[in-house]
Amino acid sequence: MQTIQWRPEVNAMTTPPSWRILAVPRRSAGIEDIADDIALRHPNFSKADILTILRAEDKAVQARLLNGEQVTKEGSWSWFVSFSGRLDHPNDPLPSIDQCLNVNVRISPPFTRAIRQSARTERLPVREKKPVISTARDALLGLNNVLNPDGLLQLKGRNFSFDPQQPGSQCLIKGTESGSAVQSRFGMIENSSIMLIPDIPAQSQPWNNEYTVSVSARYSEHGTLRTGTCRQMLRSPLTLSGFGQPDPPEHGILTGKAASPYVSVIGGTVTADEMLRIQVILDHRKKVLLFSLLDMEKKGRTGTAVPVRENGGCTLPGFADSAVSSLSIRVNDYAALKEMTRNDYGGRLLDILDIRL
């Protein structure tokens, strides 16, 4: 029998404490899964045809919305656009579209009623209390999932409170290839936040710059030691030197715990020292990796994306006002890089490069 799973979760915002009802998805279904379900019920249509129609529906809805229309799919949902923000005067121009235009979806009452009438629920046990790290951010650079030796690492989450003097209670940074370090330089330890100056253990090769961070705590004097690990990998900046030389040395980047680098920087046009980021995105539709250079701001300047489909060299253009006009790279293990980007980084992998002449 199909069921919707849920569990009670404590609501720490109320006094006395209450419990909220948390729906727990079994998994995340995508367009391929929907196409399989439709093909099973309608065998006269192939999965490929169904996928084509589903994707065409997205384009058709977008076109109607761009024409200023509301799109209603009878018995299920409606799409419509809205604006957010304010004007100080009625004659003021519209703010940037990126900041004010929203696309909304409204579920129709018949659709909701049909789900409620057929729904069966299943209660899951309360989760064991343990540290949960939701985000890890370098406070100096303002970037998530960055382990900066010259910065401050800020962990956000819950159930962090621990005594570093208590045996086993600790914050641990561990390399995925080798090395680990128990942290000792804390600026703050609170239930939902930890601030520390990171002690980063060395790993075997310079390109092994991938780390995990975990918190272990006991919630009573003789309680069980419980550990929570950040789901996202942290990556430390890589120093790339020698660009002022006629033949600069190669530098491994965008790699995990492998003994040889998946990607190497083999040259570039550089006029001054600069810190920037290199990004690789897995384009699922085109089945290609897209490489590009970015500045150090979250939504800053970006160089042109270069598609890569196999091992080999390519040149990445720089972005506006960058001292790095271009960067030459060589992909050494395309299959391993693609697998790591998809499985460990959700389709988007970044490295910080400290480029020096």
Side-chain angles (χ1 to χ4, degrees):
M1 180 180 67
Q2 293 178 322
T3 61
I4 298 173
Q5 295 182 330
W6 68 278
R7 70 159 54 94
E9 185 168 272
V10 68
N11 183 358
M13 302 298 292
T14 59
T15 304
S18 63
W19 296 80
R20 64 190 184 99
I21 304 169
L22 179 69
V24 182
R26 293 179 182 274
R27 59 184 293 264
S28 178
I31 191 172
E32 296 276 348
D33 302 296
I34 299 299
D36 286 333
D37 294 343
I38 296 174
L40 186 64
R41 291 174 173 80
H42 301 276
N44 291 333
F45 298 94
S46 69
K47 179 180 177 181
D49 290 339
I50 295 168
L51 283 170
T52 299
I53 294 171
L54 290 174
R55 291 184 174 122
E57 180 187 49
D58 293 342
K59 296 294 185 182
V61 170
Q62 288 176 0
R64 292 283 182 176
L65 293 176
L66 289 170
N67 193 44
E69 302 177 42
Q70 176 173 310
V71 182
T72 300
K73 195 172 183 180
E74 293 184 7
S76 53
W77 48 75
S78 297
W79 295 266
F80 60 96
V81 296
S82 65
F83 292 95
S84 57
R86 73 172 195 177
L87 303 177
D88 294 326
H89 190 276
N91 294 328
D92 286 350
L94 192 69
S96 168
I97 291 296
D98 290 340
Q99 298 176 0
C100 70
L101 184 63
N102 307 300
V103 178
N104 308 92
V105 178
R106 180 183 295 126
I107 308 302
S108 71
F111 189 89
T112 302
R113 282 198 298 270
I115 295 295
R116 287 173 173 170
Q117 289 170 0
S118 303
R120 298 293 182 272
T121 61
E122 177 184 353
R123 181 180 184 134
L124 300 178
V126 178
R127 289 188 303 185
E128 179 184 40
K129 182 179 180 181
K130 68 175 184 179
V132 176
I133 305 174
S134 55
T135 61
R137 175 178 178 270
D138 177 66
L140 182 64
L141 297 175
L143 297 173
N144 289 338
N145 308 325
V146 171
L147 194 56
N148 181 9
D150 299 321
L152 289 171
L153 181 63
Q154 184 176 33
L155 306 180
K156 290 285 189 178
R158 63 177 185 269
N159 301 331
F160 282 164
S161 295
F162 73 95
D163 181 0
Q165 304 303 318
Q166 189 179 40
S169 296
Q170 63 184 19
C171 177
L172 180 73
I173 293 176
K174 184 177 182 180
T176 57
E177 188 275 334
S178 62
S180 64
V182 175
Q183 304 303 296
S184 59
R185 297 181 293 176
F186 295 98
M188 174 180 65
I189 299 177
E190 296 180 349
N191 190 57
S192 61
S193 182
I194 294 175
M195 184 79 78
L196 61 97
I197 301 174
D199 178 13
I200 305 175
Q203 301 195 64
S204 296
Q205 301 294 341
W207 57 80
N208 299 136
N209 66 326
E210 183 184 66
Y211 295 85
T212 62
V213 58
S214 62
V215 173
S216 299
R218 300 181 191 272
Y219 297 106
S220 63
E221 183 179 358
H222 302 291
T224 302
L225 187 67
R226 298 171 182 176
T227 300
T229 302
C230 184
R231 292 184 179 181
Q232 291 79 31
M233 302 286 190
L234 279 61
R235 301 182 70 85
S236 61
L238 295 169
T239 300
L240 280 58
S241 58
F243 279 85
Q245 303 175 13
D247 295 312
E250 294 188 6
H251 300 275
I253 61 172
L254 297 171
T255 310
K257 58 185 178 181
S260 57
Y262 296 157
V263 179
S264 297
V265 175
I266 57 177
T269 304
V270 181
T271 57
D273 294 352
E274 183 171 359
M275 183 174 283
L276 49 71
R277 294 179 293 165
I278 184 170
Q279 170 182 265
V280 56
I281 292 178
L282 174 58
D283 188 324
H284 293 279
R285 294 179 59 187
K286 297 182 180 179
K287 298 181 179 179
V288 64
L289 294 177
L290 301 175
F291 287 78
S292 58
L293 299 180
L294 291 71
D295 69 10
M296 295 298 291
E297 301 293 330
K298 281 188 176 181
K299 296 183 179 180
R301 298 161 295 169
T302 305
T304 303
V306 176
V308 176
R309 294 178 171 83
E310 59 187 3
N311 289 347
C314 67
T315 299
L316 307 182
F319 44 84
D321 301 322
S322 173
V324 180
S325 301
S326 65
L327 205 63
S328 299
I329 66 170
R330 184 184 65 244
V331 178
N332 305 312
D333 195 334
Y334 181 87
L337 175 63
K338 183 178 179 181
E339 181 181 9
M340 183 180 72
T341 303
R342 179 184 62 238
N343 295 341
D344 298 337
Y345 291 89
R348 182 173 183 257
L349 169 63
L350 296 105
D351 258 339
I352 293 177
L353 308 181
D354 186 4
I355 296 178
R356 301 180 183 179
L357 293 175

